[in-house]
Amino acid sequence: MNKFLVFILTLSVNFTFAQSASIRVGNASNDYLNPQITSSTGIWVTNYSQPTSLKGSPYLFETWNSNNAIFYLKNDKSYGIKNVNYNVQLERFEAKFSEDSILAFNPKNIDKIVVKGRTFKRYLDPEFQRNSFFEELAATKSISILRKYEIEIVLGNINPITHKKISENQMIQKEKYYYTIDGDVLKETKLKKSSILKTLDSDKRDPLKRYANDNNLSFKDANDLKKILEYYNTL
């Protein structure tokens, strides 16, 4: 069976397809995938391109091009998918095949997704009590530092005299940070030195601070934090 079809069946995806098209994932062309495939595979058809007066984008990455991703499934298989983006507003990963064709993945059977070198996994959101995607920023042997992306709708300004809008409503992407010990309950934290150090063993905090200072590393920077916690694992 075609590998991409197996991938579709395994994921039980939702598929938004405005028109029939040839789909290419990796080196596999799938001309047979069309709107005739419906509920049995978890695929549905509609036009996702809806006009909106909101400024801003719900997508994490500015462009789709070159966003190559690897989907790691819970059955230990993995698949490479091109032109992937994360829809922050709908909390789902999508693959774009043309301007009006998008494939939305059901995360049920996904273990993790790596896109542009960044790893995303689902955890129980302690605020909303639902499973959502979090980016894994850095980790010790037992503690993971996570980032959650959210969309906030900021209302436009209104002229107090005419009572007419003078600026449009817009979507703003926000970030929240959490830590978890051994994958247990998530607890919110801040991406700053004092907050991160509180999650770590007290006897290792001073050498960790010295290492960060000696190497000009910041606890507020995700890439630097990864290096700091890699050093922590050696202590």
Side-chain angles (χ1 to χ4, degrees), residues 30 52-53 91-92 98 101 111 122 136 147 151-152 156 166 171-172 177 181 209 212 216-217 228:
N30 302 277
T52 176
S53 60
E91 297 186 352
R92 70 187 188 191
S98 68
S101 302
D111 180 52
R122 292 224 303 169
E136 297 188 329
R147 175 161 53 192
I151 289 289
E152 179 181 347
I166 56 177
M171 289 184 287
I172 302 295
Y177 297 92
I181 300 176
K209 287 189 286 186
N216 196 29
L217 300 175
I228 293 170

Side-chain angles (χ1 to χ4, degrees), residues 20-75:
S20 181
S22 173
I23 297 175
R24 183 171 295 276
V25 181
N27 294 319
S29 179
N30 302 277
D31 297 315
Y32 58 82
L33 192 60
N34 60 58
Q36 298 302 316
I37 303 177
T38 55
S39 58
S40 62
T41 55
I43 294 173
W44 50 271
V45 179
T46 188
N47 188 344
Y48 83 98
S49 299
Q50 300 295 332
T52 176
S53 60
L54 281 174
K55 285 189 174 181
S57 170
Y59 291 102
L60 178 60
F61 303 108
E62 291 185 2
T63 65
W64 296 73
N65 295 335
S66 302
N67 291 355
N68 298 332
I70 301 177
F71 285 66
Y72 293 88
L73 307 187
K74 293 179 181 178
N75 62 5

Side-chain angles (χ1 to χ4, degrees), residues 136-148:
E136 297 188 329
L137 293 182
T140 69
K141 295 175 182 178
S142 60
I143 298 172
S144 296
I145 308 297
L146 311 171
R147 175 161 53 192
K148 171 73 183 303

Side-chain angles (χ1 to χ4, degrees), residues 102-120:
I102 191 168
L103 182 65
F105 297 96
N106 185 325
K108 180 180 178 181
N109 295 307
I110 296 174
D111 180 52
K112 66 180 179 180
I113 297 172
V114 179
V115 55
K116 297 179 76 70
R118 298 159 64 173
T119 300
F120 296 81

Side-chain angles (χ1 to χ4, degrees), residues 207-217 231:
L208 203 63
K209 287 189 286 186
R210 287 195 295 270
Y211 173 78
N213 289 334
D214 292 346
N215 291 275
N216 196 29
L217 300 175
Y231 175 73

